[in-house]
């Protein structure tokens, strides 16, 4: 049998780009011919050829020429694999009239309101119906794919980026933040409405009367940042907003608790790093996050400030429970899928879909 040929189609997200880089590396090492189609930029042009894959630049999704370019790039493919909704819709159009199977990995669930929400639902239906197999990175996405008309939706092991080595200077970090002699809580992420940071500030009111008063550090930026900063000042909250930080591991290593207050789209870095480092975690229990943390976190309903306050107060008052969660977090992180697991699973799907071609005697 000749070499299996796949085309990977990116929608442009940073998370999917890292995933495809890992996937391409593993597939090429197993003898698969890989072509990666993505918008032309310097990083893509350097990264993907370094994996051994062929890189084919295509126009961005708003350009009508994008589908034409994808159709040409996929002409000889045995399997096309799209990463994200937009990529799947364009790939489905490019494969129109052909028998080439399409796989979609649905990495994250987007959120929208009003007219944009209706457009998003339409996009979800088109993407899921176009794919022969949908690989959801959480059980929530698998259920949603089925709801949106997927013929075959499966939970996919998705490797997480390896944690960077963390230099632990807890005392120094706490001193810089003003958290010497008081509990330190850390939260980090994109400061967007559905990520729950206003709920988190509401929850702060429930522990500001403790002695000593816990300090909450919020690292990140986004369209809610200005409004959140105003609230911190106007309400006199014991909160430090640091803006974007590249030393999340160091911040968490100094923390007593990590907090994820929002309805996360995927597997938030603060939750991943907290479990890896053994930092007790309090989080809003979305489906994707439940899959990530298992029993290794205190989970509360999204948008419920009193529940969030209560969980934080219980953990601050219970060193034994914090120690239990720290150990559970490290064990949970040790069991996350590896890059080897992810590549092996994806290749098994490709082999399954390409089987009819093999039976037909493609040489």
């Amino acid at each position: 049998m000749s070499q299996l040929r796949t085309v990977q189609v990116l929608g442009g997200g940073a998370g999917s780009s890292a995933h495809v880089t890992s996937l391409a590396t593993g597939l090429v090492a197993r003898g698969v011919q890989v072509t990666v189609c993505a918008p032309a930029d310097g990083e893509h042009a350097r990264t993907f050829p370094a994996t051994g894959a062929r890189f084919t630049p295509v126009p961005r999704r708003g350009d009508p020429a994008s589908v034409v370019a994808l159709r040409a790039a996929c002409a000889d493919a045995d399997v096309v694999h799209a990463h994200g909704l937009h990529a799947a819709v364009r790939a489905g159009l490019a494969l129109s009239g052909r028998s080439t199977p399409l796989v979609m990995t649905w990495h994250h669930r987007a959120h929208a309101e009003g007219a944009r929400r209706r457009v998003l639902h339409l996009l979800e239906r088109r993407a899921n119906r176009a794919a022969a197999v949908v690989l959801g990175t959480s059980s929530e996405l698998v259920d949603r794919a089925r709801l949106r008309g997927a013929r075959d939706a499966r939970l996919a092991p998705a490797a997480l980026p390896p944690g960077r080595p963390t230099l632990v200077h807890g005392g120094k970090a706490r001193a810089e933040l003003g958290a010497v002699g008081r509990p330190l809580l850390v939260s980090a992420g994109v400061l967007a409405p559905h990520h729950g940071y206003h709920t988190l500030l509401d929850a702060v009111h429930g522990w500001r009367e403790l002695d000593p008063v816990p300090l909450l550090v919020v690292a990140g930026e986004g369209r809610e940042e200005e409004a959140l900063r105003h609230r911190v000042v106007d309400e006199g909250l014991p909160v430090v907003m640091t803006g974007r930080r590249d030393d999340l591991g160091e911040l968490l290593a100094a923390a007593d608790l990590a907090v994820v207050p929002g309805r996360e789209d995927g597997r938030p870095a603060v939750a991943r790093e907290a479990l890896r480092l053994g930092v007790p975690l309090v989080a809003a229990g979305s489906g994707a996050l439940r899959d990530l943390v298992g029993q290794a976190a205190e989970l509360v309903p999204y948008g419920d400030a009193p529940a969030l306050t209560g969980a934080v107060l219980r953990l601050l008052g219970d060193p034994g429970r914090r120690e239990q969660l720290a150990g559970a977090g490290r064990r949970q992180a040790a069991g996350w899928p590896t890059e080897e697991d992810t590549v092996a699973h994806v290749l098994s799907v490709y082999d399954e879909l390409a089987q009819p071609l093999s039976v037909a005697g493609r040489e």
Side-chain angles (χ1 to χ4, degrees):
M1 185 187 299
S2 63
Q3 188 179 34
L4 182 69
R5 297 164 295 197
T6 77
V7 174
Q8 308 288 318
V9 183
L10 269 72
S16 60
S17 179
H19 173 71
V20 172
T21 300
S22 170
L23 185 58
T25 301
L27 290 172
V28 169
R30 289 162 176 75
V32 178
Q33 184 184 108
V34 179
T35 298
V36 179
C37 294
D41 63 35
E43 182 179 355
H44 287 159
R46 290 189 303 272
T47 301
F48 294 120
T51 69
R54 178 184 304 154
F55 174 58
T56 300
V58 297
R60 295 187 178 276
R61 66 187 186 215
D63 189 331
S66 173
V67 173
V68 176
L70 282 176
R71 187 169 179 82
C74 297
D76 297 323
D78 297 311
V79 179
V80 175
H81 191 159
H83 297 268
L85 299 176
H86 290 282
V89 170
R90 289 184 295 141
L93 291 171
L95 295 174
S96 178
R98 296 177 179 173
S99 60
T100 309
L102 173 64
V103 176
M104 176 179 78
T105 294
W106 198 353
H107 294 271
H108 307 294
R109 179 185 168 188
H111 298 273
E113 300 298 333
R116 292 183 62 188
R117 183 174 183 173
R118 291 191 292 273
V119 172
L120 177 60
H121 287 182
L122 177 61
L123 183 69
E124 290 178 349
R125 285 196 296 272
R126 288 184 174 177
N128 282 286
R129 291 174 180 176
V133 174
V134 176
L135 302 177
T137 58
S138 72
S139 56
E140 182 180 49
L141 287 176
V142 172
D143 291 343
R144 193 169 183 84
R146 291 170 180 154
L147 182 66
R148 296 292 184 235
R151 289 169 279 170
D152 186 342
R154 313 176 189 182
L155 183 63
L160 292 160
R164 295 190 301 176
T166 299
L167 300 175
V168 180
H169 299 299
K172 180 181 177 182
R174 293 177 79 99
E176 290 174 348
L177 294 165
V180 175
R182 61 195 296 196
L184 175 62
L185 284 63
V186 171
S187 188
V190 178
L191 306 183
H194 64 278
H195 284 182
Y197 286 99
H198 282 288
T199 300
L200 180 56
L201 295 192
D202 291 340
V204 171
H205 286 276
W207 64 70
R208 63 187 300 182
E209 301 303 323
L210 292 180
D211 184 17
V213 180
L215 177 68
L216 170 66
V217 171
V218 176
E221 55 190 10
R223 65 177 189 239
E224 292 285 292
E225 184 173 1
E226 184 176 357
L228 292 167
R229 287 185 182 275
H230 281 305
R231 281 197 61 185
V232 169
V233 174
D234 294 345
E235 298 170 31
L237 299 177
V239 176
V240 173
M241 297 191 64
T242 68
R244 180 176 176 177
R245 296 282 294 249
D246 295 323
D247 59 347
L248 178 58
E250 282 73 14
L251 280 179
L252 285 169
D256 297 290
L257 294 178
V259 184
V260 177
R263 189 169 56 217
E264 294 293 334
D265 303 328
R267 297 158 293 171
V270 65
R272 301 195 312 257
E273 292 305 311
L275 266 62
R276 281 180 172 136
L277 292 169
V279 179
L281 174 67
V282 178
S286 68
L289 194 133
R290 287 177 185 274
D291 288 344
L292 178 72
V293 305
Q295 301 299 312
E298 288 283 347
L299 299 180
V300 299
Y302 168 71
D304 190 334
L308 185 55
T309 299
V312 168
L313 290 174
R314 285 193 301 275
L315 285 178
L316 289 178
D318 189 345
R321 176 58 176 160
R322 294 202 304 272
E323 185 176 351
Q324 181 184 33
L325 283 177
R330 293 189 184 100
R331 291 190 295 273
Q332 180 75 8
W336 286 335
T338 64
E339 292 183 338
E340 179 76 19
D341 296 330
T342 301
V343 173
H345 180 265
V346 167
L347 188 54
S348 72
V349 174
Y350 293 173
D351 287 341
E352 176 186 333
L353 293 174
Q355 189 68 27
L357 297 174
S358 301
V359 172
R362 180 178 58 79
E363 297 293 339

